[in-house]
């Protein structure tokens, strides 16, 4: 399987920030893994143009479950594909927290993404309170079961497992904790998509940086990363891509 280094720019970046793409492509012109950046929707077209002819793919951070209609301010999956996106992040914990997104809604959005030809990157992860009371595996199992859309395959689905307490905090689980969760997810996914689970990318997310990337990527069932803060600068993201290429 080809591993995936994906960056989530969140609500950061203007056209001036696309210099980063030039620097990233200079540092990693031919990586040994897939490379994706998900900027704000305002930058999808411009980043797609900046990445043309390169190995960098461009994705979105959310989509509506409907293909069109009276939904002021929302963006439909076909629009994102039209702008140049090949992937869309869905169910990120910040959207689950800020917008109250449920597993049912994430699942519907993922179905819409697949229908539009996008790869759905479905995010899940436990809060610190849930981990502290021993609910981690139950929580991520329920999120996985509830969010994976019908028709998911290894080609159109990526799972990003991101402990909420590790996102943007500089804290990461122990390697043993990551290994436990990813092994569990692989087996659980097999109950949903069968043999495709073995080839479906399972990303780790939460404070991945150049200094911890290699040890995380060496773990079984970690097929890449979803990277927030460290995807904003080429000097941080390029070494993460290099570590994944070497894993
Ligand atoms: C994320 O936004 O998905 C994320 C993992 O952020 P960070 O890498 O900044 O923790």
């Amino acid at each position: 399987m080809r591993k995936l280094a994906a960056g989530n720019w969140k609500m950061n970046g203007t056209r001036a920030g696309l210099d980063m793409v030039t620097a990233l492509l200079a540092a990693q012109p031919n990586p040994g893994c897939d490379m994706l950046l998900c900027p704000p929707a305002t930058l999808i077209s411009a980043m797609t143009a900046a990445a043309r002819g390169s190995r960098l793919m461009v994705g979105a951070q959310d989509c509506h479950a409907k293909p069109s209609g009276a939904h002021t301010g929302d963006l439909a999956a076909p629009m994102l594909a039209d702008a140049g996106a090949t992937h869309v992040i869905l169910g990120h914990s910040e959207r689950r927290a800020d917008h109250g997104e449920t597993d049912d809604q994430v699942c519907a959005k993922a179905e819409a993404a697949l229908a539009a030809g996008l790869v759905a990157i479905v995010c899940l992860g436990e809060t610190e309170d849930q981990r502290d009371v021993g609910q981690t595996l139950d929580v991520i199992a329920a999120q996985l079961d509830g969010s994976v859309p019908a028709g998911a395959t290894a080609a159109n689905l990526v799972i990003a497992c991101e402990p909420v307490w590790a996102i943007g905090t500089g804290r990461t689980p122990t390697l043993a904790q990551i290994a436990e969760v990813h092994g569990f997810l692989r087996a659980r996914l097999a109950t949903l998509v069968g043999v495709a689970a073995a080839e479906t990318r399972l990303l780790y997310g939460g404070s991945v940086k150049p200094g911890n990337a290699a040890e995380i990527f060496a773990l079984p069932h970690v097929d890449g990363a979803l990277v927030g803060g460290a995807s904003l600068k080429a000097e941080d993201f390029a070494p993460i891509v290099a570590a994944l290429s070497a894993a």
Side-chain angles (χ1 to χ4, degrees):
M1 150 203 326
R2 208 166 151 82
K3 297 184 176 177
L4 173 64
N8 172 15
W9 279 18
K10 312 192 186 195
M11 198 172 70
N12 297 293
T14 59
R15 279 178 295 166
L18 293 178
D19 290 356
M20 178 276 186
V21 171
T22 313
L24 176 64
L25 294 175
Q28 285 293 329
N30 194 18
C33 63
D34 285 345
M35 188 166 64
L36 170 76
L37 286 175
C38 301
T42 49
L43 287 179
I44 291 173
S45 290
M47 188 180 280
T48 299
R52 191 154 290 132
S54 79
R55 304 288 306 274
L56 177 66
M57 299 179 289
V58 180
Q61 299 175 14
D62 179 46
C63 71
H64 197 277
K66 297 263 166 58
S68 64
H71 301 287
T72 302
D74 283 322
L75 294 168
M79 296 171 178
L80 301 170
D82 182 57
T86 54
H87 294 62
V88 59
I89 298 169
L90 296 170
H92 191 283
S93 65
E94 288 154 13
R95 291 207 61 86
R96 291 178 187 262
D98 293 354
H99 301 274
E101 288 189 8
T102 64
D103 293 335
D104 281 352
Q105 288 168 325
V106 174
C107 188
K109 289 177 178 210
E111 277 175 15
L114 268 45
L118 297 173
V119 177
I121 303 177
V122 172
C123 302
L124 36 90
E126 83 286 2
T127 64
E128 188 160 31
D129 286 349
Q130 289 165 336
R131 176 163 280 280
D132 286 348
V133 295
Q135 291 176 344
T136 298
L137 298 184
D138 290 341
V139 167
I140 62 171
Q143 289 178 334
L144 187 77
D145 294 356
S147 308
V148 170
T153 68
N156 64 21
L157 176 72
V158 174
I159 302 295
C161 192
E162 308 196 294
V164 177
W165 52 273
I167 294 179
T169 60
R171 298 166 58 206
T172 53
T174 65
L175 296 175
Q177 286 171 332
I178 297 174
E180 180 196 23
V181 166
H182 280 242
F184 173 81
L185 269 177
R186 181 82 68 199
R188 186 84 183 190
L189 190 58
T191 68
L192 301 175
V193 300
V195 290
E199 291 297 315
T200 300
R201 270 94 55 96
L202 303 182
L203 309 185
Y204 167 76
S207 296
V208 174
K209 34 191 191 280
N212 62 17
E215 61 186 12
I216 293 172
F217 296 153
L219 295 170
H221 305 299
V222 175
D223 309 313
L226 182 56
V227 183
S231 71
L232 291 168
K233 291 187 191 155
E235 69 222 51
D236 293 329
F237 197 54
I240 293 171
V241 171
L244 186 58
S245 300

